[in-house]
Amino acid sequence: MLVTGSINTLSAKWADNFTAKGCGGSKEHSFQHPFLQAVGMFLGEFSCLAAFYLLRCRATGQSDSNMDPQQPFNPLLFLPPALCDMTGTSLMYVALNMTSASSFQMLRGAVIIFTGLFSVAFLGRRLVLSQWLGILATIAGLVVVGLADLLSKHDDQHKLSEVITGDLLIIMAQIIVAIQMVLEEKFVYKHNVHPLRAVGTEGLFGFVILSLLLVPMYYIPAGSFSGNPRGTLEDALDAFCQVGRQPLIALALLGNISSIAFFNFAGISVTKELSATTRMVLDSLRTVVIWALSLALGWEAFHPLQILGFLILLMGTALYNGLHRPLLTCLSRRQSPGEEGERQGLLSGSRTPINDTS
């Protein structure tokens, strides 16, 4: 999960760093085709649907009820979350062209803020004190990361105005992703759909809809937001010409497609075999890997404020997801060893996971 998640962001950024000639004898220019890259990401999610049916065929005749739907459901329930996923992903790929990979990954932590607020407003959930503290810490961490972007040195490829716009687009995308999560929890998860099937169905909707939207995008002028010679919102033909002239772009796109498929499968496996807490820890470590590799490859300059921002964001994520509870439990056990036998007796009939919020 850690490797595939890191490859997903790094391969998308790697493709942006390549330059090649496009169609019609145009000059060499950067491969900036965020909507086409989003189509590739949905293709990777769509492959999870194939993985679901393969696992289901393998589980035929075995006592593995997890592969069988508990009740019938309407696949159109996945359409609203898929539309949110399509919009949020497209915005994030546009933003990735404007800012650094590490800031991109750190700012994605803003999803905690909006998910928490929306769950209170629309799902009637009550957040505990640690979750509110986690939201406040995340806001503080985002401010520090944004300040680091403002103070960092910017080259001709990433001007200050583009970096600010990219950061704002990432925050906007997290609002849409939070809406997607609320929709999934309210309308989809109650049908007990297998996670691979859910991801694959959303990927199918996103792939079909966004592929069709590439046609009108070919004619819509985009001004400074365009990265192709024609100045349109997306030029898929130009992208294919660049891929044909620079095979490494195709390798980066393949890495993006395959990594998102394995990332979703690995994330589901980690949650099932270990815990959701472990999944959140690994997802946080992904930011460190992306940041370190971006510095090593010379894609961005080091700024000490990013360390502070990342640590604050990590603390906010830990508080919101209850990662502090095992530590407090361990400390309480050390302080009261005489009650250990009684505690074991009380817990002998319960197997509640440590990350359970109930």
Side-chain angles (χ1 to χ4, degrees):
M1 176 183 170
L2 177 62
V3 174
T4 54
S6 301
I7 291 176
N8 178 247
T9 301
L10 291 172
S11 60
K13 190 63 178 178
W14 188 38
D16 298 338
N17 290 331
F18 285 112
T19 58
K21 291 183 179 181
C23 299
S26 60
K27 297 181 180 179
E28 284 195 1
H29 54 279
S30 299
F31 185 84
Q32 295 187 9
H33 298 280
F35 296 98
L36 186 67
Q37 287 179 301
V39 170
M41 191 216 71
F42 283 115
L43 181 60
E45 288 189 357
F46 179 35
S47 64
C48 291
L49 196 60
F52 165 77
Y53 284 111
L54 287 175
L55 291 175
R56 189 176 182 182
C57 291
R58 184 180 178 183
T60 302
Q62 300 178 3
S63 58
D64 187 2
S65 59
N66 291 330
M67 298 307 301
D68 297 324
Q70 299 298 312
Q71 61 186 68
F73 71 98
N74 187 353
L76 290 178
L77 286 173
F78 290 94
L79 182 57
L83 292 174
C84 292
D85 194 8
M86 180 186 70
T87 306
T89 300
S90 300
L91 283 177
M92 283 190 282
Y93 275 120
V94 171
L96 188 58
N97 290 332
M98 299 180 173
T99 188
S100 63
S102 61
S103 295
F104 168 83
Q105 190 63 38
M106 291 182 191
L107 291 174
R108 290 181 66 178
V111 70
I112 288 177
I113 301 172
F114 305 110
T115 303
L117 296 178
F118 290 161
S119 64
V120 171
F122 300 109
L123 299 179
R125 181 172 299 158
R126 296 183 62 181
L127 302 182
V128 298
L129 178 61
S130 62
Q131 290 177 312
W132 286 114
L133 292 176
I135 289 176
L136 293 177
T138 302
I139 294 174
L142 294 176
V143 171
V144 175
V145 173
L147 184 61
D149 281 342
L150 291 177
L151 298 178
S152 297
K153 296 180 180 180
H154 305 286
D155 51 23
D156 295 334
Q157 185 180 1
H158 296 111
K159 297 179 181 179
L160 179 59
S161 59
E162 291 185 354
V163 171
I164 295 175
T165 303
D167 290 350
L168 292 176
L169 286 176
I170 296 171
I171 301 297
M172 188 183 304
Q174 301 319 302
I175 298 176
I176 299 173
V177 172
I179 295 174
Q180 173 193 346
M181 292 182 176
V182 171
L183 288 174
E184 288 176 342
E185 183 167 350
K186 189 172 182 64
F187 299 110
V188 176
Y189 288 160
K190 65 180 181 180
H191 292 276
N192 196 20
V193 182
H194 191 275
L196 278 178
R197 191 176 189 182
V199 172
T201 306
E202 287 187 14
L204 172 61
F205 281 122
F207 175 75
V208 173
I209 295 173
L210 195 54
S211 296
L212 294 175
L213 289 177
L214 290 179
V215 178
M217 286 180 184
Y218 183 81
Y219 301 99
I220 299 175
S224 59
F225 282 96
S226 174
N228 56 77
R230 296 180 62 251
T232 56
L233 195 59
E234 182 60 280
D235 189 344
L237 296 179
D238 180 74
F240 291 134
C241 289
Q242 285 188 291
V243 171
R245 292 184 170 93
Q246 177 55 272
L248 289 178
I249 297 178
L251 181 62
L253 293 178
L254 182 61
N256 189 31
I257 295 172
S258 58
S259 62
I260 194 67
F262 285 106
F263 175 74
N264 282 290
F265 184 78
I268 293 169
S269 301
V270 168
T271 303
K272 180 180 178 181
E273 300 298 333
L274 299 176
S275 66
T277 304
T278 306
R279 182 174 182 175
M280 292 305 303
V281 171
L282 292 175
D283 203 40
S284 299
L285 291 176
R286 179 164 58 129
T287 304
V288 179
V289 174
I290 293 172
W291 186 20
L293 289 178
S294 297
L295 292 174
L297 295 172
W299 290 354
E300 57 184 276
F302 173 78
H303 199 287
L305 269 181
Q306 282 191 318
I307 298 179
L308 178 61
F310 171 72
L311 292 176
I312 297 176
L313 286 172
L314 188 62
M315 181 178 66
T317 302
L319 287 172
Y320 187 86
N321 290 283
L323 302 186
H324 62 289
R325 293 173 185 167
L327 179 61
L328 294 178
T329 302
C330 182
L331 291 176
S332 64
R333 286 178 178 176
R334 290 181 179 180
Q335 291 175 358
S336 55
E339 300 177 359
E340 186 67 25
E342 180 181 356
R343 183 182 292 107
Q344 288 180 355
L346 291 173
L347 296 180
S348 59
S350 174
R351 297 187 61 123
T352 304
I354 59 175
N355 60 315
D356 189 7
T357 56
S358 58

